[in-house]
Amino acid sequence: MTADTTIDLTLEQWDAFLANLYERGDRLERREPGGEYPADEAVDAYVLSGHAEALRSAEVDGDLWGTLADIEEEAGDEEEAWAKVKAFYLDRGCLLLRVHGTEEPEEWLLEEGLARRLGLLGGQAAVNPG
């Protein structure tokens, strides 16, 4: 895992990132300044989980063991299972989003195109809108 495949956010940046997203239909997007968005398009961690390839979160159950079975791997414990899932998706071009400042690990694997569309690549625009 390299710096190119990992995005680190503080808990405050994570909250701001989620608040800056909306979901319309099955598509997740970033809010544009001055735009109007209905309340039912708001995104929380649960909504984002539907767009993630895999995740390890205290707030949302990411079905780690089901994901491990999907990639035809086995593990002796949760740490080993997550390491294998993470390696699988990182090897396929996904990015790891880590949230710091939480009591339990908060890590999300996102497809690169989604991460780019949500403003996670190329600076802090997604978490600090202008």
Side-chain angles (χ1 to χ4, degrees):
M1 184 169 39
T2 68
D4 295 332
T5 60
T6 303
I7 300 161
D8 292 293
L9 299 178
T10 65
L11 184 54
E12 294 77 22
Q13 289 172 318
W14 170 248
D15 290 340
F17 168 69
L18 289 175
N20 198 31
L21 301 179
Y22 71 96
E23 183 182 50
R24 189 166 288 161
D26 290 334
R27 190 163 170 91
L28 197 60
E29 296 284 349
R30 253 178 59 186
R31 295 176 187 267
E32 295 296 326
E36 303 223 0
Y37 304 92
D40 67 345
E41 292 181 341
V43 171
D44 59 11
Y46 180 77
V47 172
L48 180 61
S49 73
H51 298 272
E53 298 299 321
L55 60 108
R56 181 168 74 158
S57 171
E59 189 175 347
V60 179
D61 178 13
D63 189 19
L64 176 61
W65 296 104
T67 304
L68 190 67
D70 289 346
I71 63 171
E72 301 177 355
E73 288 282 353
E74 295 180 3
D77 62 29
E78 192 171 307
E79 288 300 316
E80 182 185 3
W82 179 244
K84 288 183 176 188
V85 167
K86 194 164 42 173
F88 177 86
Y89 283 102
L90 291 175
D91 284 349
R92 284 153 183 80
C94 288
L95 300 151
L96 176 66
L97 172 63
R98 289 189 301 206
V99 182
H100 299 277
T102 58
E103 289 185 30
E104 296 182 40
E106 190 74 37
E107 298 182 325
W108 296 67
L109 288 157
L110 303 174
E111 190 272 326
E112 182 183 1
L114 175 64
R116 187 173 310 287
R117 189 172 73 242
L118 300 182
L120 287 169
L121 300 176
Q124 297 296 318
V127 295
N128 296 317

